[in-house]
Amino acid sequence: MCDNPIDDIKDIIDDGLDAINDIIDETIDFLFGWLIPDIPDMPDFEAMLNGDGIMVNKRSSADS
């Protein structure tokens, strides 16, 4: 503990408020988390475009 009792009291109050804040956050997330859908992971388009496997609308003018 610190030498100053006021700092000890402040630390105890801060720890208590942090715990209460965590409980409130978890409760709100539990109750209303279903309202916000999870965002799916997006594929790495740069890696796909730089790879060998993608060809998009490639035609020469002689094909027409």
Side-chain angles (χ1 to χ4, degrees):
M1 290 286 193
C2 301
D3 294 330
N4 191 353
I6 294 176
D7 288 337
D8 293 338
I9 293 171
K10 286 181 182 178
D11 288 340
I12 291 170
I13 291 172
D14 284 343
D15 290 342
L17 291 176
D18 286 341
I20 291 170
N21 190 21
D22 290 342
I23 291 170
I24 291 171
D25 286 344
E26 290 296 322
T27 304
I28 289 173
D29 187 42
F30 175 75
L31 293 176
F32 300 107
W34 58 272
L35 291 174
I36 303 170
D38 291 336
I39 298 173
D41 293 335
M42 296 297 292
D44 187 9
F45 290 115
E46 293 245 350
M48 290 191 318
L49 290 174
N50 291 334
D52 298 329
I54 292 185
M55 184 184 331
V56 179
N57 296 334
K58 186 171 182 178
R59 290 193 299 189
S60 66
S61 60
D63 290 341
S64 317

